[in-house]
């Protein structure tokens, strides 16, 4: 079982625009032509920040058109927020805030022998990293620049903590890098 931050970023290191738009990402490739189908089949639980969750809620119609449901995940999800957020009918969602250690234990139990995915939020992934709970970063880098926005991973992490284990080209608009997080280095 691994705790993985699987995400996409612009070439200049932003997950989303300042107003949480992901519109820059969609023209760069098809989800089914990426590593996503294989990746999600190995995921047993998810963690996401409130901005990612709210994006899904705001785009429920588009999400339903692409996935058949306004909530695209069958796995249980923990949404980290200090605010009260709307719920999605039929979704296995747990709202949480505070230290990620306690929630991570719950997620491990729910995931059984599968992986935990930190879905979105560079800062949330950073909290798992800070707690020594992050095992892998899988980042798809798009051939677009945003100039400013929500940063990929707002932490200072110096080598050799992150060790590159693979590089893969995904069509003409994306490249995927996989890093293992070596703990105690």
């Amino acid at each position: 079982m691994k705790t993985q931050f699987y995400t996409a970023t612009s070439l200049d290191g932003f997950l989303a625009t300042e107003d949480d738009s992901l519109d820059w990402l969609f023209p760069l490739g098809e989800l089914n032509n990426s590593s996503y189908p294989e990746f999600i089949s190995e995921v047993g639980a998810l963690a996401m920040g409130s901005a990612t969750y709210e994006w899904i809620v705001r785009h429920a119609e588009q999400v339903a058109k692409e996935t058949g449901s306004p909530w695209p995940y069958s796995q249980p999800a923990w949404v980290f927020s200090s605010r009260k957020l709307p719920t999605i009918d039929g979704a296995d969602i747990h709202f949480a805030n505070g230290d990620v250690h306690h929630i991570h234990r719950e997620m491990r139990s729910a995931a059984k022998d599968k992986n935990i995915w930190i879905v979105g939020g560079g800062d949330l992934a950073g909290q798992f990293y800070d707690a020594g709970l992050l095992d892998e970063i899988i980042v798809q880098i798009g051939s677009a620049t945003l100039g400013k926005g929500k940063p990929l991973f707002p932490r200072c992490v110096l080598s050799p903590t992150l060790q590159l284990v693979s590089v893969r080209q995904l069509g003409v608009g994306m490249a995927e890098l996989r890093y293992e997080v070596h703990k105690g280095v």
Side-chain angles (χ1 to χ4, degrees), residues 52-158:
T52 302
Y53 179 76
E54 289 173 309
W55 187 94
I56 293 172
V57 169
R58 278 194 317 275
H59 294 87
E61 189 174 303
Q62 177 184 349
V63 171
K65 188 185 299 181
E66 292 179 20
T67 67
S69 171
W71 181 249
Y73 309 110
S74 59
Q75 302 88 339
W78 280 259
V79 176
F80 288 78
S81 179
S82 58
R83 299 176 283 118
K84 182 163 176 52
L85 298 172
T87 59
I88 299 174
D89 289 339
D92 186 359
I93 298 171
H94 310 264
F95 293 98
N97 68 32
D99 186 5
V100 297
H101 276 101
H102 174 70
I103 304 304
H104 189 260
R105 283 191 293 274
E106 289 179 33
M107 294 173 69
R108 284 180 62 89
S109 177
K112 298 183 177 35
D113 62 339
K114 291 193 167 195
N115 297 326
I116 296 171
W117 176 21
I118 312 303
V119 177
D123 185 61
L124 181 60
Q127 290 176 48
F128 279 85
Y129 172 81
D130 293 345
L133 301 171
L134 190 62
D135 299 304
E136 188 173 31
I137 298 173
I138 304 164
V139 60
Q140 295 177 359
I141 301 170
S143 57
T145 60
L146 302 179
K148 56 186 173 179
K150 305 294 172 110
L152 168 65
F153 197 70
R155 296 293 189 275
C156 180
V157 180
L158 305 173

Side-chain angles (χ1 to χ4, degrees), residues 31-45:
L31 200 57
N32 289 328
N33 295 331
S34 72
S35 63
Y36 181 79
E38 179 183 352
F39 172 81
I40 195 67
S41 72
E42 298 173 6
V43 170

